[in-house]
């Protein structure tokens, strides 16, 4: 069997596990936030007040889709709209305190469950996993996730393509 296929299958299995961890961490949220909605909350958490068009671009969705997601988050009390103080014709979207607590809670649950899984590995397996995942992430051009105490946390681990493009 081709080793690329074996590695691909192993990564797909790990991906399934990580999606399950993500789903369980979201299921614990009383507001019933979906994964796409959570992605939006994370973007708002990391970027602060953001225009709808920018938000849609970051999430790689149509502005109309982003608007429907925003409307649901506002109805749930997790986000709100405010007038842009620099341009009163623009509306900015931002997290409410409840939205911020939701992102922190889900992220903490996900980190704790992943830590429980990692603790079941031997020190040698952990070292091998670090080496393998670091190489995999570098091959996919994904920057390292921040430490638990880093104020610039990207809980879902995707690159901020707009910031990267504008840099």
């Amino acid at each position: 069997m081709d080793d690329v296929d074996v590695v691909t299958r192993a990564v797909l299995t790990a991906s399934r596990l990580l999606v399950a961890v993500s789903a369980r961490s979201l299921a614990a949220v009383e507001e019933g936030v979906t994964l796409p909605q959570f992605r939006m909350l994370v973007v708002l958490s990391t970027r602060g007040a953001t225009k709808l068009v920018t938000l849609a671009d970051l999430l790689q969705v149509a502005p109309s889709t982003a608007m429907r997601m925003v409307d649901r988050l506002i109805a749930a009390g997790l986000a709100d709209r405010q007038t842009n103080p620099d341009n009163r014709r623009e509306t900015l979207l931002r997290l409410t305190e409840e939205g911020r607590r939701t992102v922190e809670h889900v992220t903490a649950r996900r980190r704790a469950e992943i830590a429980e899984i990692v603790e079941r590995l031997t020190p040698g397996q952990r070292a091998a996993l670090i080496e393998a995942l670091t190489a995999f992430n570098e091959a996919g051009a994904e920057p390292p996730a921040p430490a638990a105490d880093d104020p610039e946390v990207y809980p879902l681990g995707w690159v901020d393509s707009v910031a990267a493009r504008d840099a």
Side-chain angles (χ1 to χ4, degrees):
M1 183 179 276
D2 183 5
D3 69 333
V4 170
D5 182 56
V6 173
V7 172
T8 300
R9 287 179 53 225
V11 170
L12 285 171
T13 302
S15 172
R16 193 173 60 228
L17 171 62
L18 292 171
V19 168
V21 168
S22 294
R24 285 191 294 270
S25 66
L26 279 173
V29 176
E30 291 180 18
E31 291 82 12
V33 176
T34 65
L35 185 56
Q37 290 169 339
F38 184 70
R39 276 186 73 206
M40 182 174 278
L41 292 175
V42 169
V43 170
L44 291 173
S45 173
T46 56
R47 292 187 56 91
T50 306
K51 294 188 308 183
L52 178 70
V53 173
T54 303
L55 193 56
D57 187 38
L58 288 166
L59 296 171
Q60 299 177 345
V61 299
S64 60
T65 299
M67 180 55 82
R68 286 190 299 276
M69 291 170 64
V70 165
D71 288 343
R72 289 184 193 110
L73 293 174
I74 289 172
L78 301 173
D80 65 12
R81 292 179 178 92
Q82 66 182 29
T83 302
N84 185 344
D86 297 327
N87 181 349
R88 299 194 49 80
R89 292 177 290 152
E90 290 180 348
T91 299
L92 298 174
L93 307 163
R94 65 182 182 154
L95 285 184
T96 61
E97 280 306 310
E98 182 62 25
R100 189 165 319 287
R101 279 192 299 273
T102 297
V103 170
E104 291 169 359
H105 176 73
V106 170
T107 301
R109 287 184 63 88
R110 180 177 297 128
R111 183 178 288 277
E113 188 169 346
I114 290 171
E116 286 176 19
I117 294 168
V118 170
E119 286 173 353
R120 295 181 201 135
L121 301 174
T122 66
Q125 289 172 321
R126 290 179 197 166
L129 185 60
I130 291 168
E131 184 178 344
L133 288 176
T134 299
F136 181 79
N137 294 333
E138 288 172 357
E142 185 67 26
D149 59 353
D150 191 325
E152 296 296 320
V153 176
Y154 288 85
L156 291 181
W158 65 85
V159 175
D160 182 340
S161 60
V162 171
R165 185 180 64 227
D166 293 346

